[in-house]
Amino acid sequence: MLIVFEGIDGSGKTTQAKILARRLNDLGLKASYSKEPTEGVIGRFIRQEVLTNGQITDPRAVALLYAADRSTHLNSVVFSEDVINIFDRFYYSSVAYQGALGVPIDYILKVNSFAPKPDLVFLMDIDPTLGLKRLNRFDRFENIETLIKVREIYLNLAKQYGMIVIDATKSVEEISNKIIGVVEETRSVAKGR
Ligand code: TYD
């Protein structure tokens, strides 16, 4: 099973992705958390040259770097029947962020066509002003105008791909309970098939 968390910066997706992994492990299930950009060579390069130094600004080049990082991410993860993989960001991040910076969405989807379709996507939705307030760190994507566009694209994607939209202003516990409920329901539906 592949579960993805998406959302703008400061939406709390990392917190929820990690809590879900822990709760599933506590239930005796094998859950594995991983994130993009990865901690691998390409992910580190992105953090350094795109997010920190702003050396690479061409959004199409950036989209291709994220796609390359994603390919290594997928190769580093074990996909098996009894493992629940939890991804903190996936190709929808590229659609939303690089799309917001002008890269055509069709192109982004095309260069990410190697990526499998997740079983569940949670979109942590929050007003970017609130999201930014929760952050204690800024990088180059984290300006309001861009994040407003990013959020808009995410909400369109949610409709198109049937993502579960979560009101990220609710309490951590309330959100986590809702998420575990959806995951358990999806698992039992899948088992019953
Ligand atoms: P983030 O989840 O904030 O990671 P961290 O907290 O470890 O820095 O992601 C870093 C930034 O990368 C974030 O602003 C979104 C951006 N990003 C893209 O623009 N495209 C992508 O495909 C991905 C995966 C991330």
Side-chain angles (χ1 to χ4, degrees):
M1 192 176 195
L2 174 57
I3 302 175
V4 172
F5 282 81
E6 290 284 356
I8 60 165
D9 313 81
S11 63
K13 70 190 160 34
T14 300
T15 303
Q16 288 299 335
K18 287 185 173 168
I19 292 177
L20 176 63
R22 202 190 57 226
R23 288 182 75 163
L24 291 171
N25 284 326
D26 287 348
L27 290 170
L29 299 163
K30 282 188 210 155
S32 146
Y33 168 90
S34 57
K35 62 175 288 178
E36 295 184 6
T38 67
E39 303 297 339
V41 180
I42 304 173
R44 291 202 307 269
F45 180 81
I46 290 172
R47 255 175 244 286
Q48 189 65 25
E49 307 300 340
V50 178
L51 299 171
T52 308
N53 297 337
Q55 286 296 309
I56 305 167
T57 52
D58 171 0
R60 185 174 54 204
V62 173
L64 293 169
L65 284 172
Y66 278 112
D69 185 44
R70 188 158 298 125
S71 182
T72 66
H73 178 202
L74 287 168
N75 276 325
S76 72
V77 165
V78 178
F79 284 98
S80 88
E81 283 258 314
D82 61 339
V83 177
I84 303 172
N85 284 295
I86 300 169
F87 284 11
D88 183 349
R89 296 197 183 279
F90 202 29
Y91 60 91
Y92 309 101
S93 283
S94 288
V95 175
Y97 282 81
Q98 279 62 59
L101 295 173
V103 183
I105 287 175
D106 284 354
Y107 178 79
I108 300 170
L109 289 173
K110 199 162 86 188
V111 296
N112 282 283
S113 59
F114 60 86
K117 243 189 105 26
D119 299 286
L120 267 177
V121 183
F122 292 103
L123 173 60
M124 302 289 293
D125 181 52
I126 193 164
D127 181 315
T129 320
L130 269 177
L132 280 189
K133 264 199 206 143
R134 296 206 217 171
L135 286 179
N136 45 24
R137 181 214 62 170
F138 291 82
D139 59 38
R140 56 182 302 271
F141 291 115
E142 289 158 1
N143 70 73
I144 288 286
E145 295 74 33
T146 308
L147 289 179
I148 288 171
K149 271 195 218 150
V150 172
R151 183 193 195 192
E152 213 176 275
I153 298 175
Y154 265 140
L155 288 170
N156 284 330
L157 287 175
K159 273 190 219 135
Q160 210 178 324
Y161 293 95
M163 298 177 181
I164 316 275
V165 181
I166 302 282
D167 176 355
T169 62
K170 295 263 162 59
S171 75
V172 170
E173 203 192 353
E174 199 176 331
I175 294 173
S176 163
N177 289 341
K178 156 120 190 152
I179 287 171
I180 195 97
V182 173
V183 170
E184 284 183 329
E185 198 183 294
T186 307
R187 275 172 47 82
S188 59
V189 169
K191 265 195 236 144
R193 258 196 243 126

